[in-house]
Amino acid sequence: MAVIAVGVCLGPVLEGTAQAGDTPLRPFAQHQVYAPDALFPSRWTPEERDEDVLAFYRQWKVDYLRKVDVASDVDDDAVQYRITFGHNQPERTVSEGQGYGMMISALMAGADPDAQTIFDGLWRFARAWPSDRDPRLMGWQIPPAGDSNDSAFDGDADIAFALLLAADQWGDAGYLDAARSIISAIGERTIGPDSLLPMLGDWVDIDGEQYNQWGTRPSDFMPEHFVAFGRATNDPIWMKARDRVLDVAADLQRDVSPRTGLLPDFAVVEPDGTVHAAPPNYLEGYYDTAFYFNAARVPWRIASHALLSDDKKARDIARMMAGWMRSRVAGNAVAIQSGYMLSGLPLPYETENSTLFVAPIAVASMLLPEGQDWLNDLYDNIRDRHMDYYEDSVTLLCLLVLSGNFRSPTGH
């Protein structure tokens, strides 16, 4: 393993440095054709939305992209990059951030001449810190909190998806081979063999007493990723997993949150099909049972699949969440709060209007009939507002969708 001085960064990575990379085959801006009923923010032209993405991306790079000081005993001087956890923990990186950064850099190629150098550096850093349980996956936190470091589902899934995007972008079969290796590991180690649900990571015992294949995190329901994984591998498990997460999301809306459609941070699915929100303090905190800082991403993940694959079930799931939120705040995007009980009551003391909660709802609102003014207000709320690593990374990915610049890789 390469020895990395994680706390020593060589400063923000700025645009304008030289790169001798491959010519991008799908350079930004690539306006995609989404589902026939999709809306786009209409107060801005497509070119203005592209400029919003570029401006946000430039600031995101300055704030969170860091070059890594690689110790001298590494065999070569290949550059590594990492995504810093944010303003309060700049020395920390998580696999989730590497996945976000790799997706973003692959999609921004053409607009950023350094995109491939950045992408490759992020990928090298991910490889330098493998999971102790399955080295094909990335350890979830750098530096590790203890003697071991295992994986988190979302980071690995986004890294694999990003490698598929890179294969399309730069035409290099090496990216595709790397993606297939990770996808195999994800399927073998972190998809429940009976539940067909994403598990929390490769540390989960499928038959464990507290954490097992029946406990899941709805923000890991990534149906478009699973479709892309299936295209790349021809493994039927991925279409089964796609169907399964959409079925469970719909069941949670029907049986747990019938008024709001909100999904919880964590959920438990019984072998007989009964679904529950996980109890408080299931894994991370008291609000594990609520629509909170994990589940805030669900509208973006589900709606992206509806937009890219024109999936009716995903569209219905996303519309329910977006429609309820519009009603809850009476069409006022500024009134969206940072967390809700599944009943719809706002969480105490979580009054901040975080972009993490606004941006994914904006993506889901692209599917709302007669929701044009609401979508415009949501977009205006997030287009140039910066907060911290997590909020800004998710917001940038949502802006890519909202501008028509997010796509699904071919997997070939």
Side-chain angles (χ1 to χ4, degrees), residues 96 100 217-221 261-266 284 287-304 318 321-322 325 336-340 342 347 350 352-364 390-391 394-395 398:
E96 158 207 285
Y100 292 159
R217 184 168 66 162
S219 58
D220 292 341
F221 293 2
L262 300 177
L263 271 59
D265 269 15
F266 298 92
E284 294 185 2
Y287 291 147
D288 286 354
T289 194
F291 179 76
Y292 198 45
F293 274 78
N294 281 296
R297 297 172 290 182
V298 171
W300 155 52
R301 297 289 196 186
I302 300 293
S304 294
M321 291 183 281
M325 186 66 78
I336 294 175
Q337 297 186 206
S338 298
Y340 294 85
L342 300 187
L347 296 177
E350 298 292 343
E352 183 180 40
N353 179 237
S354 170
T355 54
L356 178 69
F357 289 81
V358 181
I361 286 292
V363 174
Y390 184 40
E391 296 90 340
V394 171
T395 296
C398 289

Side-chain angles (χ1 to χ4, degrees), residues 38 65 96 148 229 245 263 291 306 378 381 388 399:
L65 183 66
E96 158 207 285
S148 63
F229 294 172
V245 297
L263 271 59
F291 179 76
L378 291 166
N381 179 277
D388 209 335
L399 287 172

